[in-house]
């Protein structure tokens, strides 16, 4: 199947649903972002900010306990939950129990930005899944991707956002193999794990489990900067929290992310803008239909 190009015609024909004039924050959904560490505290800050900029109504951020107060100060719009930390700087599996009352209320759960401790991450995510109702959409990014092959098929769906290196690690193949045929890799992964797959790169492929495939070409080199992927993951999570289907949220999230970069490049130059500056571009782009 030839990939569907993500362009203006596609986006105009597949618009995001807009909330009613009298809708409130509850109707726009709750996003729960889980991740962060003492060494990478800003990842959940970026992802959470992007979720709110995408229009999500409420945000909860769960991160390691010693960063929780700082996170609450940096992101006053969010509820912040502190989680126990492993010796390796990750989130301890016991922290999943603290999220047990929160996870069922989420309309989108994003796990992974800024997580550390490769040994502890799979156990934490798998423990969290035991307390996550199957109807809650699950997004895995960064170190959270380690759990993707072990997630059972979910009513709410699974969405993953690997770059080529992460996809290669997940599939047990070489990065060069993924880069040689990213469309096939994305489709194979989508069908194998019953997931919407966002395979990131200068050309990004979005694959759905039913075999649909989209290709986005665009953006600019400035998007290849620290924290950019956290913004994309949070943006997609925020769109899903609003009730957007996973594949539409993925396609729109990729397009909005790229076009935010284009706007910043036009004002500031092609290199040197910061990932945190991308999020503020999103509301205007959504209003104008990109």
């Amino acid at each position: 199947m030839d990939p569907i190009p993500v362009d203006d015609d596609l986006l105009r024909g597949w618009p995001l649903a807009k909330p009613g004039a009298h809708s409130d924050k509850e109707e726009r959904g709750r996003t729960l972002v889980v991740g962060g560490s003492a060494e990478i505290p800003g990842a959940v800050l970026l992802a959470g900010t992007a979720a709110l900029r995408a229009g999500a109504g409420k945000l909860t951020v769960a991160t390691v306990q010693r960063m929780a107060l700082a996170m609450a100060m940096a992101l006053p719009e969010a509820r912040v939950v502190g989680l126990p930390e492993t010796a390796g700087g990750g989130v301890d599996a016991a922290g999943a129990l603290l999220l047990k009352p929160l996870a069922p209320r989420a309309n989108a759960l994003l796990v992974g930005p800024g997580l550390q401790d490769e040994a502890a991450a799979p156990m934490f995510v798998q423990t969290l899944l035991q307390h996550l109702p199957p109807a809650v959409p699950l997004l895995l990014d960064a170190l959270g991707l380690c759990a993707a092959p072990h997630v059972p098929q979910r009513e709410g769906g699974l969405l993953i956002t690997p770059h080529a290196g992460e996809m290669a690690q997940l599939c047990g193949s070489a990065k060069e193999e993924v880069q040689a045929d990213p469309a096939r890799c994305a489709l194979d992964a989508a069908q194998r794990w019953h997931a919407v797959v966002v395979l990131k790169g200068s050309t990004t492929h979005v694959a759905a489990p039913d075999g649909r495939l989209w290709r986005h070409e665009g953006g600019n080199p400035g998007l290849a900067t620290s924290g950019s992927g956290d913004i994309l993951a949070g943006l997609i999570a925020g769109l899903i929290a609003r009730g957007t289907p996973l594949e539409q949220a993925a396609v729109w999230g990729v397009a909005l992310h790229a076009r935010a970069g284009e706007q910043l490049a036009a004002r500031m130059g092609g290199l040197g803008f910061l990932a945190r500056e991308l999020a503020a571009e999103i509301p205007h782009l959504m209003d104008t239909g990109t």
Side-chain angles (χ1 to χ4, degrees):
M1 175 182 178
D2 291 333
I4 302 166
V6 179
D7 54 20
D8 289 346
D9 288 340
L10 173 72
L11 298 174
R12 279 194 292 265
W14 201 14
L16 294 171
K18 293 189 176 181
H22 302 292
S23 67
D24 60 18
K25 59 188 176 183
E26 295 290 347
E27 293 178 56
R28 298 205 312 277
R30 297 169 182 254
T31 306
L32 173 56
V33 179
V34 183
S37 58
E39 291 186 11
I40 319 174
V44 286
L45 173 61
L46 292 171
T49 300
L52 291 175
R53 292 293 193 181
K58 286 189 172 183
L59 172 67
T60 299
V61 171
T63 191
V64 291
Q65 181 64 57
R66 59 174 156 160
M67 299 309 303
L69 178 58
M71 185 62 58
M73 298 289 287
L75 192 56
E77 298 87 353
R79 175 180 181 179
V80 178
V81 178
L83 302 175
E85 189 174 346
T86 67
V91 177
D92 191 276
L97 296 176
L98 298 177
L99 298 176
K100 184 177 179 179
L102 299 177
R105 303 176 65 193
N107 302 101
L109 169 59
L110 168 60
V111 181
L115 275 183
Q116 284 190 292
D117 195 343
E118 293 186 19
M123 180 61 69
F124 168 72
V125 178
Q126 290 170 26
T127 305
L128 180 58
L129 286 176
Q130 295 173 12
H131 306 296
L132 182 66
V136 176
L138 173 65
L139 293 80
L140 298 177
D141 180 56
L143 201 51
L145 290 166
C146 64
H150 311 293
V151 177
Q153 189 169 355
R154 301 179 51 75
E155 176 188 342
L158 170 66
L159 187 148
I160 64 175
T161 56
H163 53 59
E166 292 166 333
M167 179 63 85
Q169 188 172 7
L170 283 171
C171 297
S173 57
K175 180 178 178 180
E176 292 74 16
E177 292 179 50
V178 176
Q179 293 172 323
D181 195 351
R184 179 188 59 80
C185 288
L187 276 173
D188 287 351
Q191 293 168 353
R192 185 183 313 139
W193 299 320
H194 306 286
V196 173
V197 175
V198 180
L199 181 51
K200 300 179 292 190
S202 56
T203 296
T204 293
H205 290 84
V206 177
D210 61 9
R212 285 177 294 166
L213 179 68
W214 295 266
R215 182 186 67 248
H216 181 274
E217 298 177 358
N220 58 76
L223 286 171
T225 188
S226 179
S228 182
D230 303 317
I231 292 287
L232 175 60
L235 171 55
I236 294 172
L239 292 175
I240 292 171
R242 289 175 46 185
T244 309
L246 268 66
E247 62 273 17
Q248 185 182 18
V251 168
W252 266 89
V254 167
L256 288 167
H257 181 257
R259 295 178 188 206
E262 290 170 357
Q263 291 199 161
L264 286 173
R267 292 201 308 271
M268 302 175 65
L271 293 177
F273 56 81
L274 305 178
R276 64 174 177 260
E277 294 168 325
L278 291 165
E281 305 293 320
I282 301 303
H284 175 70
L285 287 167
M286 289 193 301
D287 268 358
T288 57
T290 79

